[in-house]
Amino acid sequence: MKNIFRSKMSFFFVAVILLWLKSYLIYVNEFNLDVQNDTQAFLLFFNSLSSALIFLGIGLFAKGKRAGIWVIIIDSLMSILLYANVVYYRFNNDYITLPTMTQTDNFGSLGGSIASLTQWTDIFYALDIIVLIALYIWFKKDWSTERISRRKPILVFIIGLIAFSLNLSLAEADRPELLKRTFDRNYIVKYLGIYNFAIYDAIQNVKSSSQRVLADSDDITEVENYTKNKFAEPNPELFGIAEGKNIIKIHLESFQSFLINYELHGEEVTPFLNSLVNDPNQDFTYYDNFFHQTEQGKTADAELIMDNSLYGLPQGSAFVTRGTNTYQALPAILHQHQNYHTAVFHGDYKSFWNRDEIYKQFGVDTYFDASYYDMSEENVINYGLKDKPFFEESMPLLESLDQPFYAHLMTLTHHHPYLVGEEDATIAPAETGDKSVDTYFQTARYLDEALEQFFNDLKEAGLYEDSVILLYGDHYGISENHNRAMKEIIGEEITPFMNAQLQRVPLLIKVPGMEGKGTVHEYSGQMDVMPTLLHLLGINAQDYIQFGTDLFSEGHKEFVPFRRGDYVTPEYTVVSGIYYDNATGEEIEPTEEMLKLKDEVLHELELSDKLLNGDLLRFYSPNDDWTPVDPSIYRYGNESGVVPSKQEEEESVTEENEDGEVEEEQPEATNPEIQE
Ligand code: GP9
Ligand code: MN
């Protein structure tokens, strides 16, 4: 035995085999890669071998015992990459990409989440490194004098490359154009492994950065032609019905539609929201076939889509990677057309998701971030301010705004890992044994109660009747990793088809002067909200580049693209390129028409990406009156350090400049915590 390890090459092959097997074990145990045939099963097993040979092989070029150190260092780096993906996947059901890694501002608030995503048994994932270190210590003396001929590492490298080429050609045979067309990271990891995925991702990112440099004004024409062609004429009876009305838009964090009218232990989970859906006197219209269209950008993607009618990017969050692009967003449009004051309310700090940069490009006049709220310990849980104090403290801020206003209030408590204090838990958890799923109902109930209180306050303040009020869910809260528990909740196996159905989030809208339509079954997505709002206000959405269509229009398009290139229609659903009949959930052969629509979805996504990556709106003028947004006039953060609870005695800190823009006065910061 001892003799075997006298040679560095044996040590190297042990390292290769251990890393190869560890990667495979993790693919099988941690990721949900949906292996569909023998080729895929083989490639899943095979794909880490070439990466282990090629990357660890680099270490062999070092001389003497240093070769051992380099193999261990490279192995550790690869293992860290692998494990980071495991933790990330446990919540996001997705892999880390370069843009998500640059979202470091977000990591601070993630502490609680990360702790709940790791488990002590993960230590076994480091076992191979410990073995290698032990071997190194034991045998390094023998290696210091051993000379490896240059030919050996070169041979290892060549064998690695051959293995990779074989891998790639088998993958391409099973999935043509794998690297060219796919929007689904799962495919790349399944066929080529996590390490090659990381390289693919890096190349993609370099490519997209160069797209901005290379883009020119002609590029916008193709996008413009597409969106103008897709445009749906407004419903003449509703066009302009809400002109100049206040708009209150409420973001329901992680809220999926299955919660609506759901009963747990014989009790409604969200009685207040249910009453808006079920009681015709409330004048709300509820869309029960409304889908989120978000990807890795989660909340930020939902915001981007809802305020721009553009798609988020396939990787990372456009809020972060495209935060300085030119936009023609809803806040700026409302301000320019009808002199709205636009404000976002959110109990997290302003840099999260790069909001304090991108909101300037959107033309958000005021961002009431955490620095405007009382963030003392009893008010805060998980990511930030609890929803009840959030709404309570938002009321005076809302009342202080110039009217008409566009107020976007974003809740936070109903967020993974769904933490709720004893004092706030008014419904018992579910009993599936899966903690996230069980407490999901408790934070949903808390959010529901917070909403009821806010609606009462709005009524009391006289802001309810005459305002457009809109509520929407931003994205799923329970990922595919919880299928076992979700089966108990829904009473059905969570197949890929079923999982797509679970991507429904609620959309509720009340428009002054329009009777509620009850529950509408039309299929729609977050993309459709912005053109709908513009038309209600009497602003022609056709001037702007938008991929959605007005929900109240006869020409509304009833196909909802998902960011990964799949889509759903009233009749069928496409998941990972497989077509399912909505009525039966059974697989069906796609017709020509279905395939054509699939191409249209991919084309639409490509155009949206092209627009964001090329920053193409800088070349586009919607109409003669349009003034490009000047981000330099906006400044966010309550630098006075005075939180709203104490604000009553204070003078208002806003004043208008000559252009009618509302500017924050910037007294010296007194609270070090809120200084940047
Ligand atoms: C944080 C909140 C949560 O401010 O918006 O973001 P998410 O994790 O849902 O994207
Ligand atoms: Mn969210």
Side-chain angles (χ1 to χ4, degrees):
M1 178 75 183
K2 201 167 174 201
N3 283 340
I4 298 181
F5 291 110
R6 287 248 155 82
S7 144
K8 260 182 293 188
M9 285 311 283
S10 322
F11 170 79
F12 168 74
F13 284 117
V14 170
V16 167
I17 289 169
L18 288 178
L19 181 65
W20 177 21
L21 292 182
K22 172 166 82 176
S23 309
Y24 179 64
L25 275 180
I26 285 184
Y27 295 164
V28 174
N29 289 325
E30 300 280 356
F31 302 151
N32 187 358
L33 287 161
D34 191 22
V35 172
Q36 288 164 352
N37 58 35
D38 292 345
T39 312
Q40 293 179 13
F42 170 71
L43 288 182
L44 188 65
F45 172 68
F46 185 66
N47 68 37
S48 312
L49 175 62
S50 58
S51 308
L53 283 170
I54 294 172
F55 294 115
L56 298 184
I58 294 172
L60 289 180
F61 286 99
K63 289 213 177 88
K65 63 180 182 194
R66 274 186 300 158
I69 297 186
W70 276 109
V71 169
I72 292 173
I73 291 176
I74 298 168
D75 200 330
S76 304
L77 292 175
M78 292 172 81
S79 300
I80 290 170
L81 175 75
L82 183 63
Y83 182 63
N85 272 287
V86 167
V87 175
Y88 189 82
Y89 191 91
R90 283 181 185 156
F91 177 57
N92 293 291
N93 213 31
D94 205 341
Y95 311 94
I96 299 177
T97 61
L98 261 191
T100 47
M101 277 161 73
T102 55
Q103 288 153 17
T104 43
D105 276 344
N106 292 1
F107 292 160
S109 319
L110 280 175
S113 251
I114 287 181
S116 77
L117 295 169
T118 50
Q119 52 214 39
W120 75 267
T121 42
D122 292 351
I123 201 90
F124 290 116
Y125 293 149
L127 220 54
D128 58 327
I129 309 276
I130 298 170
V131 170
L132 293 181
I133 294 174
L135 287 176
Y136 172 78
I137 295 172
W138 199 262
F139 294 102
K140 65 176 183 225
K141 271 207 210 96
D142 298 317
W143 301 342
S144 15
T145 49
E146 184 195 349
R147 287 185 159 264
I148 303 184
S149 96
R150 273 283 136 124
R151 270 201 224 135
K152 280 189 183 162
I154 292 173
L155 195 64
V156 165
F157 200 73
I158 291 172
I159 295 172
L161 280 183
I162 293 172
F164 177 71
S165 316
L166 179 70
N167 188 342
L168 191 60
S169 41
L170 281 172
E172 283 278 338
D174 196 60
R175 177 121 219 142
E177 301 201 312
L178 172 69
L179 295 180
K180 223 170 128 200
R181 294 208 78 174
T182 186
F183 292 105
D184 194 338
R185 286 172 285 283
N186 246 335
Y187 294 174
I188 313 223
V189 175
K190 176 163 66 177
Y191 287 110
L192 304 181
I194 198 82
Y195 312 106
N196 288 319
F197 166 72
I199 294 171
Y200 167 82
D201 172 58
I203 296 171
Q204 287 297 100
N205 279 291
V206 170
K207 257 167 74 187
S208 77
S209 323
S210 52
Q211 278 178 35
R212 186 182 192 279
V213 181
L214 298 174
D216 66 43
S217 53
D218 293 339
D219 294 327
I220 190 70
T221 316
E222 192 190 358
V223 189
E224 187 186 352
N225 290 343
Y226 180 86
T227 55
K228 294 221 156 129
N229 192 30
K230 195 184 177 192
F231 174 75
E233 291 291 337
N235 175 337
E237 278 170 32
L238 297 176
F239 189 76
I241 190 174
E243 183 175 340
K245 303 281 182 204
N246 291 329
I247 302 169
I248 300 172
K249 189 168 114 185
I250 305 171
H251 173 114
L252 306 175
E253 179 58 45
S254 302
F255 199 103
Q256 288 172 245
S257 298
F258 77 84
L259 285 168
I260 298 286
N261 287 331
Y262 189 85
E263 287 194 8
L264 183 71
H265 318 303
E267 264 180 76
E268 287 178 75
V269 177
T270 58
F272 177 67
L273 277 167
N274 297 350
S275 74
L276 300 183
V277 170
N278 303 327
D279 178 359
N281 296 328
Q282 302 276 355
D283 273 337
F284 271 89
T285 301
Y286 170 58
Y287 285 84
D288 65 352
N289 287 318
F290 180 78
F291 289 79
H292 82 83
Q293 296 172 291
T294 66
E295 254 301 311
Q296 288 188 323
K298 293 296 197 70
T299 292
D301 275 1
E303 289 185 60
L304 181 93
I305 301 168
M306 299 276 297
D307 275 352
N308 294 274
S309 199
L310 300 173
Y311 292 91
L313 289 173
Q315 286 158 341
S317 156
F319 256 45
V320 178
T321 59
R322 299 291 155 200
T324 52
N325 270 15
T326 297
Y327 290 94
Q328 287 146 10
L330 189 61
I333 297 173
L334 298 186
H335 185 85
Q336 291 200 22
H337 279 269
Q338 293 178 10
N339 203 24
Y340 271 77
H341 184 90
T342 60
V344 178
F345 301 69
H346 188 46
D348 194 356
Y349 289 94
K350 63 182 181 179
S351 61
F352 199 97
W353 282 133
N354 196 33
R355 288 184 175 108
D356 55 343
E357 289 306 322
I358 200 162
Y359 281 177
K360 295 176 183 169
Q361 309 290 347
F362 287 2
V364 172
D365 294 313
T366 314
Y367 177 20
F368 295 110
D369 79 326
S371 64
Y372 287 84
Y373 294 90
D374 177 1
M375 300 291 283
S376 51
E377 212 181 306
E378 71 276 12
N379 273 1
V380 169
I381 197 160
N382 201 1
Y383 270 68
L385 188 60
K386 295 203 258 183
D387 294 341
K388 284 186 186 173
F390 167 66
F391 279 124
E392 212 171 294
E393 292 177 28
S394 295
M395 264 324 283
L397 299 172
L398 190 65
E399 286 183 272
S400 75
L401 292 180
D402 288 340
Q403 300 195 15
F405 57 68
Y406 165 73
H408 184 194
L409 295 108
M410 301 207 297
T411 63
L412 196 49
T413 312
H414 186 45
H415 189 290
H416 183 268
Y418 311 108
L419 304 178
V420 68
E422 235 171 70
E423 65 289 0
D424 293 321
T426 58
I427 185 167
E431 286 159 0
T432 66
D434 179 326
K435 207 169 166 297
S436 298
V437 174
D438 292 351
T439 51
Y440 185 69
F441 296 94
Q442 295 184 294
T443 45
R445 165 63 73 77
Y446 176 78
L447 168 58
D448 190 66
E449 288 173 354
L451 282 171
E452 181 168 22
Q453 163 217 301
F454 181 57
F455 272 50
N456 289 336
D457 290 348
L458 285 176
K459 284 178 187 159
E460 210 167 286
L463 286 171
Y464 182 81
E465 283 303 321
D466 207 32
S467 300
V468 173
I469 302 184
L470 191 139
L471 301 104
Y472 70 97
D474 64 341
H475 49 74
Y476 67 79
I478 305 292
S479 73
E480 277 179 283
N481 298 328
H482 304 276
N483 282 354
R484 183 205 53 79
M486 279 303 280
K487 183 183 169 191
E488 282 182 42
I489 298 296
I490 304 291
E492 263 182 69
E493 193 74 48
I494 313 296
T495 57
F497 165 76
M498 204 41 212
N499 181 59
Q501 309 309 314
L502 281 170
Q503 303 313 306
R504 284 177 170 82
V505 291
L507 174 71
L508 287 119
I509 182 165
K510 174 183 91 69
V511 184
M514 182 184 120
E515 247 180 53
K517 295 176 193 290
T519 298
V520 172
H521 305 302
E522 198 140 334
Y523 274 60
S524 57
Q526 289 168 329
M527 205 65 66
D528 301 323
V529 173
M530 182 179 174
T532 310
L533 274 175
L534 287 181
H535 286 165
L536 288 171
L537 264 57
I539 300 168
N540 194 345
Q542 195 170 22
D543 286 355
Y544 298 91
I545 305 283
Q546 300 186 345
F547 287 94
T549 53
D550 179 351
L551 287 164
F552 296 127
S553 159
E554 286 220 350
H556 169 68
K557 305 283 186 298
E558 277 200 274
F559 68 93
V560 190
F562 297 143
R563 177 60 258 194
R564 295 185 184 189
D566 294 325
Y567 66 97
V568 54
T569 75
E571 290 80 35
Y572 63 96
T573 302
V574 192
V575 188
S576 303
I578 298 175
Y579 294 69
Y580 299 91
D581 185 334
N582 283 355
T584 62
E586 298 294 326
E587 222 176 298
I588 45 173
E589 269 308 305
T591 62
E592 282 292 306
E593 202 188 329
M594 293 174 177
L595 293 171
K596 227 175 106 204
L597 193 51
K598 169 93 177 164
D599 278 343
E600 187 174 336
V601 165
L602 292 178
H603 183 53
E604 188 165 314
L605 289 162
E606 268 165 24
L607 289 177
S608 179
D609 291 349
K610 199 166 156 187
L611 182 142
L612 284 181
N613 289 330
D615 189 8
L616 297 184
L617 287 175
R618 68 196 148 126
F619 303 123
Y620 182 71
S621 182
N623 47 48
D624 294 342
D625 306 329
W626 180 257
T627 318
V629 174
D630 174 5
S632 69
I633 65 171
Y634 303 97
R635 205 167 159 175
Y636 308 127
N638 175 16
E639 293 181 25
S640 73
V642 180
V643 297
S645 49
K646 298 175 207 147
Q647 210 165 27
E648 279 139 43
E649 307 103 57
E650 300 289 325
E651 302 252 312
S652 158
V653 291
T654 58
E655 63 174 36
E656 290 210 352
N657 67 16
E658 314 85 76
D659 302 320
E661 297 288 351
V662 174
E663 280 187 339
E664 310 287 332
E665 212 181 76
Q666 304 296 334
E668 250 190 271
T670 50
N671 181 349
E673 269 182 25
I674 57 166
Q675 278 182 304
E676 280 198 304

